[in-house]
Each structure stands twice: as structure tokens, then as C-alpha cells.
Amino acid sequence: MNYHFDELTNRRGTGCVKWDDTPYDDVIPLWVADMDFKAAPAILDAVRKRAEHGVFGYTLVGDDYYDAVISWFQRRHQWTIRREEILYTTGVVPAMSVAVKALTMPGENVLILSPDYNCFFSSIRNNGCQVLESVLRWNRSSNRFEVDFDDFEQKCAAEKTTLFLLCNPHNPTGRVWTPAELQRMNDICLRHNVKVVSDEIHCELIMPGHRFQPFAAVSEACRQNSVTLNSPSKSFNIAGLQIANIICTRPDWRRRMDRAININEVCDVGPFGPVALVAAYNESEDWLDQLNAYLWENFLVLCDFIAKNIPSWRICPLEGTYLPWVDITATGMTAQQYADHVFSSTHVWVNPGTMYGPQSGEGYIRLNIACPRSRLLEALQRIANLSAAR
């Protein structure tokens, strides 16, 4: 079956954060990480069938849910998960806060690779911990961002560092970490008694030539020293259905996280999230494969357009996610100035890189290319016209 990602769906007037939180009627939002594509048909059918029942009480998560998660990760990523290792909750960000609360004490350091997903900063601070940044470095020869492992080890060795919060694949730089990189991260963490929490929400959004590696499946040592957070929300565009999983092999850590789930009051999910997950993992793999092919073509179109029309931009290679990281230092403007200028002048909404690290994200913007290609090209043409007018 062929799916039609070129279809233009009007999301205005639906209470949509991406489209409705703006004063402009003609805005093109290339910012927040949700897609402008309808969910896979099997998901729509499952949600429709559940809605037709007409009663939406408290939800029991059944065997089919756990079976779908276990089967998906075994089939797709050769990662064996046991049912008792799975804790469900409402989203990956709540799961992140649960993990930080359960595995740290207030005042301790939580290490991140900066620039990093903006909710990492707030989740760490909201739980009374300190953000410790190891800044990724740009490697000209490999043409990608890499971990500065000397700095990473120094930060792990700091007395107050007890947790490493990893984004795998990495948002916003688009890196898909290799097994060797992940093993090295864990080796360093183990030397300094640092636990690992791996946010793998973008794990299915992988571009050609790259392969996603679950952190916990790298080695038994990684499995024993980590907690994984994942969800079908990004990959299948169902973030609003509020479902995610915490996966952990260690019973002592699971008990602490289960307690934190209840303390944070994120223990109950709605009736639609579980059925959507089952339909995604059991019936929508072909949709996902076609989606990734479409996203890759969008990235190639982006690169070609930029090379011809906005030469001041430098696009970083996209290995995973649908969120290209763009160097705009040649414009002579700060990230915030440039994002504001583009928004006010063209009504194209992009994210300033400083959202992801006040220092490490300076000079960058982040784009969301998960939209019909005609919409992406319209947005780029507006920005190109603005650049030509300067």
C-alpha cells in the first residue's frame, strides 16, 4: 500500500500548538516536533473503533499492549525486553522527570550532551538537580558532531555527577550514535558510578546509511546501567494520545521509578494511547518505512534548495530525526535575532538554537521538515526571498 504524505491537511482551528498558537493566519510552522501527516490508517481505525464504544473510563493496559512493545523491539531492533521491565506512563518528558526524581538526590549533577533537547534542562532543574553540560564538538573531517570524551569523562568524574541523560538519536544535531560510541559512554559512566537514562523517542526516524542502536542492547553492562524511555509518539505522529514507556531491567530502580510515577501523578493513561500503540507496532511498519523515505527526500530537497538559494546557511548532516540543525553564523545575527527576523518578515516559524543550550546552540536554528514537500518549499522560498532582499 502506498501512503500519501504530500496531502495538505489543514490543522488550524483544532487547538493545535504548532499551528494555532500564533497571531498570523499564513504562518508556516517549522518548529515544534510534530508532523503534519495523518497517522497511519491502522491507528486511525483503532482509535475510531475505540471512540465508537462511547464510554471513556479509567483504562486498563492489557497483555496485547506489552506483547506489541516486546515484539516490535525484538523484530525491529533485536532487543529482547521482558514484560516486567516495562512501566507505562503518559509521555517521555514525564518519564524523564520520573527517572531523574527516582535516581538522583536534589543538588546532584545530571550530565547532558549539549546542545540538547530543551526539556532536558527543565526536567533536571524541576527535580532540584544541576545541569552539567558536555558540549559536542564539530569534527570537520567526519562532517558531524561528536562527543568530546575527555570532557565527558571529566564531567562524569565530578563528585556530584550521578546521572547521564542521553538523547539517542540526538535532538537537535541529528546524530545517530554508533554502538562503539554508546559503549564508550557507558564504560566511562561505570568508572564513575554514573547511571544512564536514554531518551529514545526518535528511534524509528533513521535516515539511509544509519542504524539505530538501543543503548540497553549494546551490551549486558549497558543494559544493567541504564533506563530507556521510548514511545511511538514521534515516529507515528500520535503525541497527543499521551503514551510512553520506561524500560529498565533492574528491579530496585524500577521500584523507585514506579513510586515516582505515582508521586508525580502520571500513572494513568487514557483509552486511546494503548490502542494506538498496538496498532502502530503491530500493523503500521510499512507506513513508517515509507515515512522515513519521504523524510529523507525532504532533506535532500532542503539541501539542494539551500545550496542554490540561501548559501549563508550550512546544513548539518541528518542521520536521524526530522529536525535538521542549521548553522546560520554567516548571517551575522544571533540565533534568536535570526529566528525573530524570519518569523516577523516571512511568518515562517523556526527554533533558535539557543533553546537547546544558551552557549552551545548559538549560531544555529532547528527546522522541522516533517510536512508535505510543497509546504516545505513554500517556507524555504519565503526565507530565500527575505535573504535576497537584504
Side-chain angles (χ1 to χ4, degrees), residues 298-332:
N298 268 7
F299 181 68
L300 295 179
V301 166
L302 169 73
C303 292
D304 181 66
F305 187 95
I306 296 310
K308 294 176 180 176
N309 299 282
I310 317 177
S312 63
W313 284 13
R314 179 178 65 83
I315 309 292
C316 299
L318 188 67
E319 298 176 0
T321 83
Y322 48 71
L323 304 165
W325 190 235
V326 182
D327 184 337
I328 50 89
T329 52
T331 66

Side-chain angles (χ1 to χ4, degrees), residues 157-168:
E159 182 180 1
K160 290 187 175 181
T161 303
T162 58
L163 191 71
F164 168 42
L165 188 51
L166 169 66
C167 197
N168 175 38

Side-chain angles (χ1 to χ4, degrees), residues 66 70 81-87 246 248-249 251 254:
Y66 295 99
I70 291 166
I81 300 170
R82 295 183 290 270
R83 174 175 171 150
E84 64 268 21
E85 296 175 339
I86 303 170
L87 298 171
I246 302 170
C248 177
T249 195
R254 279 204 311 275

Side-chain angles (χ1 to χ4, degrees), residues 353-389:
T354 44
M355 284 183 62
Y356 311 99
Q359 283 79 46
S360 58
E362 186 56 85
Y364 292 88
I365 59 172
R366 193 192 77 169
L367 305 178
N368 178 348
I369 61 170
C371 61
R373 197 159 299 143
S374 61
R375 185 170 286 158
L376 175 62
L377 284 168
E378 181 184 350
L380 293 173
Q381 188 60 59
R382 290 188 194 181
I383 298 172
N385 292 343
L386 175 65
S387 298

Side-chain angles (χ1 to χ4, degrees), residues 234-291:
K234 296 297 183 191
S235 306
F236 293 94
N237 206 30
I238 54 173
L241 297 184
Q242 303 276 291
I243 193 71
N245 294 299
I246 302 170
I247 300 172
C248 177
T249 195
R250 293 186 53 158
D252 53 338
W253 292 5
R254 279 204 311 275
R255 283 193 297 270
R256 289 155 66 178
M257 287 187 292
D258 192 34
R259 177 63 179 153
I261 286 172
N262 284 273
I263 291 171
N264 285 3
E265 303 289 3
V266 288
C267 50
D268 291 320
V269 296
F272 298 111
V275 299
L277 178 146
V278 171
Y281 286 165
N282 286 354
E283 303 178 70
S284 305
E285 193 163 2
D286 60 337
W287 182 93
L288 177 64
D289 290 339
Q290 289 186 41
L291 167 71

Side-chain angles (χ1 to χ4, degrees), residues 69-126:
V69 173
I70 291 166
S71 175
W72 177 267
F73 284 99
Q74 180 64 61
R75 183 175 75 250
R76 187 106 177 159
H77 302 296
Q78 297 74 58
W79 177 22
T80 300
I81 300 170
R82 295 183 290 270
R83 174 175 171 150
E84 64 268 21
E85 296 175 339
I86 303 170
L87 298 171
Y88 63 80
T89 186
T90 56
V92 162
V93 173
M96 188 188 312
S97 291
V98 161
V100 174
K101 180 185 287 292
L103 302 178
T104 66
M105 294 291 289
E108 293 178 344
N109 294 335
V110 178
L111 178 61
I112 66 170
L113 298 175
S114 182
D116 222 331
Y117 176 44
N118 53 296
C119 286
F120 279 25
F121 293 85
S122 57
S123 182
I124 293 165
R125 290 169 179 154
N126 287 345

